[in-house]
Amino acid sequence: MIEIAGLTKSYGSTTVLDGIDLTVDEGRIAAVVGPSGAGKSTLARCINLLERPTSGTIAVNGQDLTRLSRRDLREARRQIGTVFQSANLLRRLTAAQNVALPMRHAGLPDQEVRRRVAELLERVGMLHRANHYPSQLSGGQRQRIGIARGLALQPAVLLSDEATSGLDPETTLSILDLLAELRDDLGVTILVITHEMDVVRSVADLVAQLDHGRIVEQGTVSDVVRRSNSPLSRALLPMPPVAVDEQLRAWAVRYEGPEVSPVWLAQAGRELDTDVAVLAALVEAAGDHRVGRLTVGLDPQLDDRRVVEVLTRYGVVAEPVDRAVLRAVATGANVAAEGAA
Ligand SMILES: Nc1ncnc2c1ncn2[C@@H]1O[C@H](COP(=O)(O)OP(=O)(O)O)[C@@H](O)[C@H]1O
Ligand SMILES: [Mg+2]
C-alpha cells in the first residue's frame, strides 16, 4: 500500500509537485497520467527515494519513507522496484546477470540468487532467454527482464515509468497482462506512469491525472468513465464526432453493465414511443466493467423529465447535450470548454 499525503517537490523556486495526495491499496494498479512536464517522473523518483521530497509524506505499508535515516533508507528502498522506459539493462551482462544484480548488491548468497533468478525469469516468461545479452532481445523482452529485475528484492511496490512507451500495441498488451498477473498472483501494488490512455483502460484499477504538479482528477477507472463531462473521462473514452441535426434533441447517455439490459435502447424507445437516432456510440471494457457512452438524438417534443425518468429506470444516465457543444465536437473545436459549460 502506498499513501502519499501533501507531497511537494521544488527545485529552487520552481515547484514541480504541489500537494499530491494519492493512496493506492495493496494489490491494486494505479495509473498516473498527464502531459509531458506534468511531474510524473518526479513523482516516481520521490516514491522510489531517488529524490527527497520538499515536504509531505510517502508511506509504503505504513512506514513513512521521508523520515528515514540514510541507512534505513537503503533498506526501505528494497520495498520499491522500478521499471523504466528503456529498461536500463546493463549491456555487458546477460539477462540472468541483470536480474541477479540487485540481489548481489544486497549480499544474498549465491545459491539463493540463482534460485530466485530462475524463478523470476520463469515468471516473466523469459527463462529461455536467460543467457542472452540485451542487444539480442526485443524491446518487449528487455522490458520483461527489467520487470524481473524490479521484482528481484520482492518489493511491496512496483513503479513503472513509461515502461510501455515505444513498444508496439501487441507487446504493450503482453507487458500489461504481466503487470496484472503480478498484482493478482503476488499482491504487488503497482503504480504505472504513462501518457497512454489505452494502458489505463486495460490495466488500471485507479487513475489520477497530474497537471502542473497537481492531481486535477482521480478515481477508480469505472467511476471516472461514468463522469460525463470530466476531461479525464473524455480522454479515457473519447467520443467520435457527431453530426448536428436540427430536427433532434441530442442526449448524452452513459451506462455501466452488467445491470443494464443489452436491449435497453430499443425498449426505452418503445416506452417513450419515439425513434431513437444513435449519433455516436462507444462501448468498452474498463477493468471488470463494461461501460458505454452514446450520443442519441430524440424528438425535441419529448418532455426532458420523462426521458430522464424512463432511461434511469433502464439503469442509464442521460443528460441533454448543449447544441453549441455538439457543434464544437462536430467541427473538432476545443471541447475542453465543455467541462466548464
Ligand atoms: N532536477 C530538476 N531540476 C529542475 N527542474 C526539474 C528537475 N527535474 C524535473 N524538473 C522539471 O520538473 C517538471 C516535471 O518534469 P517530469 O517529472 O520529468 O515530468 P513528466 O515525467 O511528467 O514529463 C519539468 O518542468 C522539468 O523541467
Ligand atoms: Mg517522465
Side-chain angles (χ1 to χ4, degrees):
M1 176 178 194
I2 318 174
E3 291 164 283
I4 300 170
L7 175 66
T8 299
K9 177 70 188 177
S10 303
Y11 297 103
S13 60
T14 311
T15 300
V16 174
L17 295 176
D18 188 5
I20 304 288
D21 296 313
L22 180 68
T23 297
V24 190
D25 288 332
E26 191 177 326
R28 294 270 154 185
I29 298 181
V32 174
V33 298
S36 165
K40 303 184 300 294
S41 293
T42 306
L43 176 63
R45 289 199 308 274
C46 283
I47 296 172
N48 68 17
L49 306 165
L50 290 175
E51 299 262 16
R52 277 273 189 184
T54 305
S55 62
T57 58
I58 301 169
V60 169
N61 290 346
Q63 184 185 32
D64 182 1
L65 305 179
T66 58
R67 289 163 180 272
L68 299 175
S69 68
R70 204 170 279 273
R71 170 137 55 75
D72 291 341
L73 209 60
R74 201 163 350 131
E75 276 298 306
R77 219 170 247 147
R78 290 188 184 190
Q79 294 186 57
I80 300 151
T82 308
V83 191
F84 298 99
Q85 178 169 0
S86 53
N88 286 359
L89 301 179
L90 295 183
R91 278 182 306 144
R92 289 176 195 286
L93 300 184
T94 63
Q97 288 164 342
N98 267 288
V99 175
L101 211 54
M103 295 184 265
R104 300 224 181 273
H105 280 309
L108 266 62
D110 266 0
Q111 206 180 349
E112 187 175 349
V113 173
R114 269 197 301 275
R115 184 179 58 77
R116 293 266 309 142
V117 166
E119 231 173 69
L120 287 161
L121 288 174
E122 166 105 70
R123 164 140 298 277
V124 300
M126 283 289 111
L127 197 50
H128 62 305
R129 293 286 182 267
N131 298 317
H132 285 56
Y133 288 88
S135 63
Q136 300 170 306
L137 300 171
S138 70
Q141 290 174 333
R142 284 199 289 269
Q143 285 309 64
R144 285 171 181 271
I145 302 298
I147 291 170
R149 187 187 52 187
L151 292 171
L153 300 176
Q154 296 173 294
V157 170
L158 189 68
L159 284 180
S160 150
D161 189 357
E162 305 279 8
T164 57
S165 299
L167 298 178
D168 60 84
E170 208 172 305
T171 311
T172 295
L173 268 186
S174 80
I175 296 290
L176 297 177
D177 283 345
L178 174 60
L179 292 180
E181 218 176 276
L182 298 174
R183 168 195 60 190
D184 298 340
D185 294 357
L186 307 178
V188 185
T189 305
I190 301 176
L191 195 77
V192 176
I193 289 173
T194 182
H195 62 274
E196 299 166 304
M197 289 298 175
D198 290 346
V199 168
V200 180
R201 242 187 356 243
S202 51
V203 82
D205 302 302
L206 195 82
V207 59
Q209 182 172 13
L210 200 63
D211 208 347
H212 292 96
R214 289 168 190 249
I215 291 182
V216 291
E217 192 176 349
Q218 67 171 305
T220 65
V221 172
S222 52
D223 279 352
V224 167
V225 160
R226 273 183 292 177
R227 289 174 197 157
S228 60
N229 277 340
S230 98
L232 185 53
S233 176
R234 266 162 214 294
L236 275 173
L237 282 187
M239 283 293 275
V242 300
V244 183
D245 185 332
E246 302 292 335
Q247 307 304 312
L248 297 170
R249 179 152 167 74
W251 288 78
V253 174
R254 327 184 283 287
Y255 69 88
E256 185 180 10
E259 68 272 19
V260 176
S261 156
V263 292
W264 67 271
L265 188 61
Q267 286 180 349
R270 267 201 302 279
E271 194 169 332
L272 287 164
D273 194 22
T274 190
D275 294 330
V276 182
V278 176
L279 303 175
L282 200 133
V283 180
E284 277 269 358
D288 51 357
H289 298 261
R290 286 203 82 72
V291 295
R293 284 216 256 156
L294 288 81
T295 307
V296 297
L298 297 177
D299 182 346
Q301 308 295 330
L302 286 170
D303 177 38
D304 282 0
R305 271 172 315 180
R306 172 139 170 78
V307 171
V308 170
E309 180 213 302
V310 168
L311 290 179
T312 304
R313 225 180 312 116
Y314 285 94
V316 305
V317 181
E319 321 178 315
V321 182
D322 183 349
R323 213 168 268 286
V325 170
L326 266 189
R327 213 167 272 122
V329 175
T331 58
N334 182 10
V335 291
E338 188 181 340

